[in-house]
Amino acid sequence: MALTREDYTTVLDALGPPGRALPRETDSRWQRLNAARAGTWVRVDARADVLLDEADPRTTYELLPDWERVAGLPDPCISDEQTVGERRGALHRVLTATGGASRPYFIELADALGFEIGIEDYIAHSVGAAVDQPMRGIEWRWAWTVRAPADTIRYHTVATGVNEPLSVWGYEQLECVISRLAPAHTIVQFAYGDAE
């Protein structure tokens, strides 16, 4: 809690040596000078209180660009303008993230981005596999599919331009973030339909 001007005036007065040269009367020049100098310390103290908020990425405002620079933000996958709250949330997620390569990690990551997904893993076909299992080669053990809801599909009409596709699906942000954080030895695919 910051001290007041009166508190600092009292402190400055107490630090001065006793004697007639530095009078203690409130209307003396010395006391008015102390009161003026106390204003500087009040401002410094107030800025120190603000600095405590700036030290926490969840409450920072003035140092938010510096925090983002250190954390490698803004995320190259996010092209939309973000609010200060969204920027703080992204910063907090980056600084507290532990990473991972599991289903729950990527499902929670997608949930933090606002998407509900399911993940499908694959296994290579083997002699002991059931007859109705697909015939997949050994490389399929490194593949996985992120399934997102079908409402991500946007259909174009006759009114759209000739050079535009008939339909566009997917969320670039979801695909970008998951592809960037997926383990390097895996192949991630995206499918839009029912999430598992």
Side-chain angles (χ1 to χ4, degrees):
M1 184 170 99
L3 297 176
T4 65
R5 181 183 291 265
E6 292 76 23
D7 295 333
Y8 275 108
T9 302
T10 304
V11 169
L12 289 171
D13 189 39
L15 289 173
R20 292 178 21 171
L22 306 175
R24 306 288 187 211
E25 293 81 29
T26 55
D27 63 337
S28 68
R29 286 187 183 174
W30 175 247
Q31 291 302 321
R32 287 187 302 207
L33 179 62
N34 272 347
R37 292 189 309 173
T40 300
W41 291 107
V42 169
R43 286 191 297 278
V44 169
D45 203 2
R47 291 301 294 160
D49 272 355
V50 170
L51 189 57
L52 292 175
D53 288 335
E54 296 297 320
D56 186 345
R58 295 168 296 181
T59 57
T60 186
Y61 183 77
E62 293 177 28
L63 295 179
L64 184 56
D66 293 319
W67 276 104
E68 288 176 325
R69 180 184 47 79
V70 169
L73 294 173
D75 192 322
C77 295
I78 298 177
S79 57
D80 299 336
E81 190 70 27
Q82 292 182 296
T83 65
V84 171
E86 290 170 338
R87 290 168 62 194
R88 285 178 184 155
L91 177 63
H92 187 255
R93 276 193 304 278
V94 167
L95 294 177
T96 58
T98 56
S102 65
R103 277 179 177 221
Y105 170 72
F106 285 101
I107 290 171
E108 287 175 23
L109 177 66
D111 187 49
L113 294 171
F115 300 99
E116 185 177 334
I117 65 165
I119 295 179
E120 181 180 351
D121 294 318
Y122 302 100
I123 56 172
H125 189 77
S126 66
V127 177
V131 177
D132 61 345
Q133 293 295 316
M135 299 282 289
R136 294 189 181 105
I138 196 72
E139 64 276 358
W140 277 93
R141 67 180 166 182
W142 309 118
W144 51 293
T145 300
V146 173
R147 296 201 173 275
D151 62 357
T152 60
I153 300 174
R154 297 180 307 279
Y155 296 99
H156 292 165
T157 63
V158 193
T160 58
V162 177
N163 295 334
E164 294 185 27
L166 297 176
S167 63
V168 178
W169 60 91
Y171 283 120
E172 292 175 13
Q173 180 184 1
L174 175 69
E175 292 183 19
C176 181
V177 170
I178 288 185
S179 296
R180 187 168 47 83
L181 297 176
H185 66 283
T186 65
I187 300 167
V188 61
Q189 304 174 89
F190 294 89
Y192 297 93
D194 295 329
E196 289 184 343

